[in-house]
Each structure stands twice: as structure tokens, then as C-alpha cells.
Amino acid sequence: MITINKRTTKALLTKKKITAAALHLFNEKSFSRVTVDEIIKETNTSKGAFYTHFKSKHDIFLEKFKEIDDYYVNELVDIMAKEEKYADRLEVFLRLQMTYIERDLGWDVIRTIYEVELNTERDSFFLIPDRPLYSILMDIFENGQKIGEFRDDLLPEKMMDICLRTMRGILYDWALRKADFSLVEEHGDLFGVMIRGMKK
């Protein structure tokens, strides 16, 4: 049992090492110019180790998205559930989301994610329908609409879509402007207008 635990721990550390090094290289050289061989060399691992954890360098971003969604589920859901009103839950979620992105992920990661996601050769991770992010937002809009907080002339799916597009808009602008403004400070105006527009 101890051997399995050590092996599992080592595998997780290797996976994190590969992910961190790959993101660093993507930022330095751009995603399209980095090869799997370069990632292996940077991490002093092997092709076997790389392909044990990832099918391709693109899958490294799937891992990052899972990490982000895990943060939403494990950290933010309980915090926003303390708010009685669903509009307030949405505001708390968006504020904490922007704080996490700015302080923990950073401009390098967001810029690189958008570079990769704009590649038309693959389906975007942004559009994976069963992401926890979408479940969290749908819960807010469906329940908020049921109790009369949100307008009833828009389907919850449409409100979620508007929210997601607003979210991507501010992040893309932040990436484009090389993080020359604070997401934490600036998000309130944009999301505030969006939330007021959805309330009854």
C-alpha cells in the first residue's frame, strides 16, 4: 500500500511539473511553436511519462480547465450559497472568480489559454457543455427565475449565455491589454450592468 501511495504521489508531481513547464513554454514561445520534445527536455522527463498523463500538448489545457472548475466547485459554491438572493450569489461568484483569475492564474495563463482556444482545428474547451461552471450558473438563473428575482422573458440558458459572453469579453480584453487594469477592480461595473439587466 505504501508503494502505491508513493507511486501515485510521484505521478501527480510529474503531471504538475509537466503542466507548469508547458504553460511556461507556451507563454514564452506561443503554443504552436512548442513541441512535446521541448516540454520533455524542460522537465527532464520521458515521452512515456508525458503520454501517460496527456494525449497531446493540447490536453494540458484540459487539465488546467479541470483545475479551474474544481476551484469553482470546491471553494466558491459554499461561499456564494451563504447569500439569500440568487442575484447576490451571482455577484459573489463573479467577484471571486475574477479575483482567482487575476491573483492565482495570472495574465500569462489567460493569454495562452485564449491563444489555444482560438485555434479552429479543435473544439474549444470553453464550449464543453458539462463543465461545472455551466451547472453553477444554470442553478443560479433557474432558481432565481423561479422565485421571481430574474426576468421571465429570457430563458435561463440565454441568461447563462449572456453571462458567459460577458465573462469571456472582460478576460479577452484583459489578455489583449496585457493586464493593464485590475479584473478585481473593474469587473464590478461590467457585471453590475449585466446583473441589473437580468433582474426583474
Side-chain angles (χ1 to χ4, degrees):
M1 194 69 161
I2 294 173
T3 307
I4 294 172
N5 286 339
K6 284 183 178 178
R7 192 175 296 161
T8 302
T9 300
K10 186 178 179 183
L12 287 171
L13 289 172
T14 300
K15 190 173 186 178
K16 285 184 178 180
K17 184 179 179 182
I18 291 170
T19 301
L23 290 171
H24 174 72
L25 287 170
F26 296 157
N27 177 55
E28 273 195 341
K29 301 175 67 175
S30 91
F31 178 81
S32 59
R33 294 181 181 174
V34 175
T35 65
V36 170
D37 286 337
E38 285 177 279
I39 297 169
I40 291 166
K41 184 178 178 182
E42 180 78 10
T43 53
N44 196 27
T45 53
S46 64
K47 276 196 175 179
F50 182 91
Y51 287 111
T52 294
H53 299 293
F54 305 104
K55 291 178 183 177
S56 69
K57 62 179 184 175
H58 198 256
D59 278 4
I60 290 168
F61 281 95
L62 180 57
E63 189 63 29
K64 200 65 188 175
F65 272 85
K66 286 178 181 174
E67 182 184 311
I68 293 167
D69 280 341
D70 284 346
Y71 173 78
Y72 295 157
V73 171
N74 298 326
E75 302 291 335
L76 301 194
V77 169
D78 287 343
I79 295 172
M80 69 181 196
K82 294 174 183 175
E83 300 293 334
E84 186 177 341
K85 294 182 178 179
Y86 284 94
D88 292 339
R89 292 185 186 191
L90 181 59
E91 190 281 325
V92 168
F93 177 81
L94 293 168
R95 175 166 41 83
L96 294 177
Q97 179 199 42
M98 292 297 123
T99 302
Y100 168 69
I101 289 171
E102 181 171 353
R103 295 181 185 170
D104 296 308
L105 295 182
W107 174 76
D108 292 343
V109 171
I110 295 302
R111 182 192 65 80
T112 307
I113 284 174
Y114 271 87
E115 179 193 352
V116 173
E117 292 306 292
L118 289 170
N119 183 339
T120 57
E121 294 175 10
R122 297 179 177 85
D123 291 335
S124 171
F125 290 136
F126 284 140
L127 303 178
I128 295 174
D130 58 352
R131 280 189 65 196
L133 169 63
Y134 304 154
S135 299
I136 292 168
L137 293 175
M138 274 299 291
D139 179 74
I140 289 172
F141 290 121
E142 284 179 340
N143 287 299
Q145 194 176 60
K146 281 177 187 175
I147 63 171
E149 274 190 54
F150 294 121
R151 53 197 291 177
D152 53 16
D153 61 334
L154 291 174
L155 291 172
E157 290 84 358
K158 183 61 178 177
M159 287 190 280
M160 181 182 74
D161 192 43
I162 291 168
C163 184
L164 290 168
R165 289 181 178 184
T166 306
M167 192 185 298
R168 291 178 195 137
I170 192 171
L171 292 177
Y172 183 79
D173 194 47
W174 189 64
L176 195 65
R177 294 174 180 271
K178 301 180 181 177
D180 70 351
F181 64 89
S182 169
L183 284 175
V184 179
E185 293 174 8
E186 294 293 327
H187 88 283
D189 290 339
L190 183 63
F191 288 123
V193 169
M194 180 197 76
I195 293 171
R196 287 195 298 274
M198 290 181 178
K199 289 171 76 173
K200 214 163 186 180

